[in-house]
Amino acid sequence: MKIELQSLRLQNFKGAKDLTVSLSERTAIRGMNASGKTRIFDAFTWLLFGKDSDDRKDFNVKCLDADNNPVHKVDTSVTGVLYVDGRKIKLERIYKEKWVKKRGEETAEFTGHETAYFVNEVPHQQK
């Protein structure tokens, strides 16, 4: 089985507001320290396994503001385009905030997160 990663698109993922990385059979990712090399690897491992490159499930995928607080009310997503034995497969993982407005209240309350998964734009379960 031959698997090739063609591209990764990061949206609001660990400081990358909208970044698309196109890959070929041989792609070198180089840069200064803290320039985002590990972010790309973390995005790929999070897309496939829900973990970062250090095998941690509990790591912050959300963008942070100037005070290092998570930016709210934006979805975090990673989309990968792969070719498996020559067949194109698009995988997408979206991390969403849940906001609930209780009856009689004026403002919505943050109640947690949920993750949505898509294969070729069709919703799927995590399995």
Side-chain angles (χ1 to χ4, degrees), residues 46 61-62 74-76 93-100 110-117:
W46 182 72
V61 297
K62 299 172 89 174
V74 294
D75 293 345
T76 298
R93 182 182 193 121
I94 304 172
Y95 190 64
K96 301 178 179 189
E97 292 183 341
K98 292 189 290 185
W99 291 84
V100 176
F110 174 69
T111 60
H113 295 92
E114 62 186 4
T115 304
Y117 307 90

Side-chain angles (χ1 to χ4, degrees), residues 15-119:
K17 295 211 185 300
D18 192 0
L19 172 68
T20 299
V21 179
S22 297
L23 303 150
S24 63
E25 192 170 315
R26 296 190 114 196
T27 300
I29 297 176
R30 301 183 288 203
M32 301 289 291
N33 289 343
S35 63
K37 301 178 301 289
T38 303
R39 176 188 312 145
I40 294 166
F41 186 41
D42 283 347
F44 184 59
T45 57
W46 182 72
L47 173 65
L48 295 180
F49 310 112
K51 297 180 179 182
D52 70 359
S53 55
D54 290 324
D55 203 32
R56 297 177 298 186
K57 280 191 172 194
D58 283 342
F59 75 106
N60 190 17
V61 297
K62 299 172 89 174
C63 283
L64 303 176
D65 65 15
D67 297 322
N68 278 337
N69 296 314
V71 176
H72 292 290
K73 298 188 179 180
V74 294
D75 293 345
T76 298
S77 70
V78 174
T79 305
V81 177
L82 298 95
Y83 281 87
V84 179
D85 291 333
R87 207 174 95 225
K88 182 178 176 180
I89 298 176
K90 181 178 174 183
L91 302 176
E92 186 173 15
R93 182 182 193 121
I94 304 172
Y95 190 64
K96 301 178 179 189
E97 292 183 341
K98 292 189 290 185
W99 291 84
V100 176
K101 187 174 177 183
K102 295 181 182 176
R103 187 178 305 160
E105 297 290 325
E106 288 188 26
T107 59
E109 180 179 302
F110 174 69
T111 60
H113 295 92
E114 62 186 4
T115 304
Y117 307 90
F118 298 87
V119 177

